Amino acid sequence: SYEVTQPPSVSVSPGQTASITCSGDKLGHRYTYWYQQKPGQSPVVVIYEDIKRPSGIPDRFSGSNSGNTATLTISGTQAMDEADYYCQAWDSSTSYVFGTGTKVTVL
Amino acid sequence: QVQLQQSGSGLVKPSQTLSLTCAISGDSVSSTSAAWNWIRQSPSRGLEWLGRTYYRSKWNNDYAVSVKSRITINADTSKNHFSLHLNSVTPEDTAIYYCASGVTFFDYWGQGTLVTVSS
């Protein structure tokens, strides 16, 4: 079965850039989606189809996907961005696959 | 704006059936462009997609291999909701269960229901 992996944690200073990676075999051939989850809340999609932002998501969130790695970038990170982030891939054969999650800490 | 409201028991005994319902507002369970999913989250398994139901001239279901022998998801058009039934539960099925809408990703989520499997 298809798997995607993420680093367990990323630390970033306020105002700096956080990069969260999601790795999987030929991941660049599939769309990747990113979710933000704060404690006690349901996940919220912040990036879909690799690079698109839903309405209401700040433009400091951006995404890319190439080769075996997709990346979620948070530019000018704010304290409110502290959360767990999950990537998700989909294809018709493997259905929905979630990454293991990355805890972003804003120090 | 789609809203999903979950209901159902938070405590289930081992070997019994877990049942949850997700009420939809702002869309129709019979929409031919939507899909209605169940996802769970636990410390040991992370986020895990369980299955979905959707209508495309007929009702369709897809289930994760890990639960395929134990799961049923069905829709009730009169109440505009869909339900999850997971039978023969064990403590490994203890998790937060979410309903969510979406075809290739999940754009709206329910509030989550903590389900504990314990005698």
Side-chain angles (χ1 to χ4, degrees):
Chain A
S1 63
Y2 192 75
E3 294 183 357
V4 290
T5 58
Q6 300 179 235
S9 62
V10 166
S11 296
V12 60
S13 299
Q16 299 304 302
T17 296
S19 296
I20 306 159
T21 58
C22 177
S23 300
D25 183 49
K26 298 178 183 176
L27 184 58
H29 291 189
R30 312 163 190 264
Y31 278 136
T32 299
Y33 309 86
W34 290 94
Y35 301 87
Q36 176 193 69
Q37 186 179 33
K38 296 182 178 179
Q41 298 183 17
S42 304
V44 173
V45 59
V46 294
I47 293 290
Y48 67 100
E49 293 179 0
D50 295 339
I51 61 172
K52 298 177 181 177
R53 269 181 298 105
S55 62
I57 300 301
D59 60 6
R60 64 180 179 272
F61 289 89
S62 63
S64 64
N65 188 10
S66 180
N68 296 322
T69 303
T71 302
L72 173 68
T73 301
I74 312 173
S75 304
T77 307
Q78 300 183 10
M80 68 174 65
D81 301 328
E82 190 163 281
D84 294 328
Y85 291 84
Y86 296 89
C87 62
Q88 177 236 310
W90 178 88
D91 76 9
S92 57
S93 61
T94 60
S95 205
Y96 305 95
V97 176
F98 288 97
T100 47
T102 299
K103 181 176 183 61
V104 170
T105 301
V106 182
L107 298 171
Chain B
Q1 178 84 354
V2 175
Q3 292 187 329
L4 303 175
Q5 180 68 38
Q6 299 177 217
S7 59
S9 176
L11 180 63
V12 184
K13 289 181 168 49
S15 80
Q16 295 192 343
T17 298
L18 178 162
S19 295
L20 297 172
T21 295
C22 184
I24 303 164
S25 57
D27 202 345
S28 169
V29 73
S30 303
S31 168
T32 56
S33 60
W36 308 99
N37 304 267
W38 287 98
I39 296 161
R40 67 183 177 184
Q41 184 174 30
S42 65
S44 59
R45 303 172 75 99
L47 283 165
E48 180 185 16
W49 175 80
L50 299 176
R52 65 179 182 175
T53 190
Y54 57 99
Y55 185 77
R56 303 287 187 269
S57 73
K58 69 178 180 72
W59 286 101
N60 299 273
N61 292 289
D62 297 314
Y63 300 129
V65 170
S66 60
V67 295
K68 194 168 187 175
S69 63
R70 302 191 290 129
I71 189 173
T72 302
I73 296 174
N74 51 34
D76 185 329
T77 57
S78 66
K79 296 180 180 177
N80 203 35
H81 73 205
F82 63 108
S83 299
L84 166 70
H85 303 281
L86 185 66
N87 61 39
S88 304
V89 297
T90 72
E92 285 289 303
D93 295 309
T94 294
I96 299 173
Y97 286 74
Y98 296 98
C99 60
S101 65
V103 177
T104 56
F105 70 104
F106 310 106
D107 46 4
Y108 297 100
W109 295 64
Q111 79 274 24
T113 301
L114 174 59
V115 177
T116 302
V117 178
S118 174
S119 53

